[in-house]
Amino acid sequence: MAEFETDEQQLENLRKWWQENGRAVIVGVVLGLGAVGGWRGWIYYSQNHAAQASALYHTMMTNLENERHDDVPTLAERIIADYARTPYAELAALADARAAVAQQDFARARARLVWASEHADQPAVRDIARLRLARVLRELGELDAALAALEAAFPAVFEAAVEELRGDLYVARDEPDKARAAYQKALGAEFASANRSVLEMKFNDLRLADDASS
């Protein structure tokens, strides 16, 4: 499903930021806690720990990009279990959910996305997890739950995607007036939809259907 991949660049930016700034973050935490004795050893351990998680995550993403999905759940489980305090755990949960969607295993995808939405430290990861969770719930036919997942506040950058999905859910519930309003909000969002032409087609289809029935 193409819409699951439109926010991958944001996740890649987060991963690169951590690689570039992780040492400074660790030092700041240690000094902020006043842990002077042994802090160099702790920093070394933390960096080494994060490097191990990074290597596993890289392997998992390589498998995912090459559509070798069978090993992805095992790698994700190991990262989440053994490296939960690194940013790679929440990214691994999202990646495994993506693999699960590709395999039509929406129950596994839901479990991973629920975990990410509840445990991620990065706000962007939590937002992406909630948006993807709503998409997965739609695939499972749980339309009310999907709409509920979209009720939480999202940053403006997600408005078009959130409102378009809300419109899709209202269409599935046979509520065209609400769907039209949601699509209109998506079209007027500050940050344009990644698939604006598709969004415009959805909106126009509803308008034509309304004209035909009147």
Side-chain angles (χ1 to χ4, degrees):
M1 300 173 66
E3 61 188 359
F4 280 82
E5 310 207 1
T6 58
D7 41 27
E8 289 300 321
Q9 186 57 49
Q10 295 186 54
L11 300 180
E12 180 64 15
N13 290 340
L14 283 172
R15 186 183 65 80
K16 289 180 178 178
W17 183 92
W18 177 263
Q19 288 182 328
E20 294 170 1
N21 299 279
R23 179 183 175 86
V25 171
I26 292 168
V27 171
V29 170
V30 172
L31 295 180
L33 293 174
V36 178
W39 70 274
R40 288 185 183 275
W42 190 84
I43 289 175
Y44 173 79
Y45 166 78
S46 297
Q47 288 184 317
N48 187 55
H49 195 63
Q52 292 171 354
S54 176
L56 287 172
Y57 180 74
H58 177 74
T59 299
M60 183 178 67
M61 292 304 295
T62 298
N63 288 346
L64 184 57
E65 295 302 332
N66 289 290
E67 298 185 357
R68 298 195 300 266
H69 296 134
D70 290 346
D71 291 335
V72 171
T74 301
L75 289 166
E77 188 63 36
R78 182 177 174 189
I79 294 171
I80 292 169
D82 297 343
Y83 304 94
R85 299 188 67 180
T86 73
Y88 296 103
E90 55 206 61
L91 296 179
L94 290 187
D96 188 33
R98 179 180 159 195
V101 167
Q103 296 174 302
Q104 302 289 296
D105 187 351
F106 295 109
R108 187 176 105 227
R110 175 172 56 184
R112 289 299 193 208
L113 292 169
V114 167
W115 186 92
S117 67
E118 294 177 350
H119 294 87
D121 291 325
Q122 294 290 338
V125 174
R126 291 198 300 270
D127 292 332
I128 290 170
R130 291 205 309 271
L131 179 59
R132 291 184 177 181
L133 176 61
R135 291 170 180 160
V136 165
L137 290 169
R138 177 189 60 186
E139 296 300 319
L140 289 168
E142 300 180 24
L143 303 182
D144 291 344
L147 282 167
L150 297 179
E151 287 304 311
F154 283 85
V157 70
F158 289 99
E159 182 181 5
V162 168
E163 292 301 331
E164 181 175 0
L165 178 55
R166 201 192 309 274
D168 293 345
L169 292 168
Y170 282 131
V171 167
R173 282 165 45 123
D174 196 23
E175 298 182 65
D177 290 341
K178 291 182 179 180
R180 190 182 305 107
Y183 288 149
Q184 195 159 21
K185 283 185 180 179
L187 287 167
E190 179 181 358
F191 296 90
S193 169
N195 300 297
R196 187 175 177 85
S197 60
V198 175
L199 174 58
E200 290 174 343
M201 183 178 66
K202 292 176 182 179
F203 178 74
N204 289 331
D205 285 348
L206 281 178
R207 188 174 58 184
L208 290 172
D210 186 53
D211 291 343
S213 63
S214 59

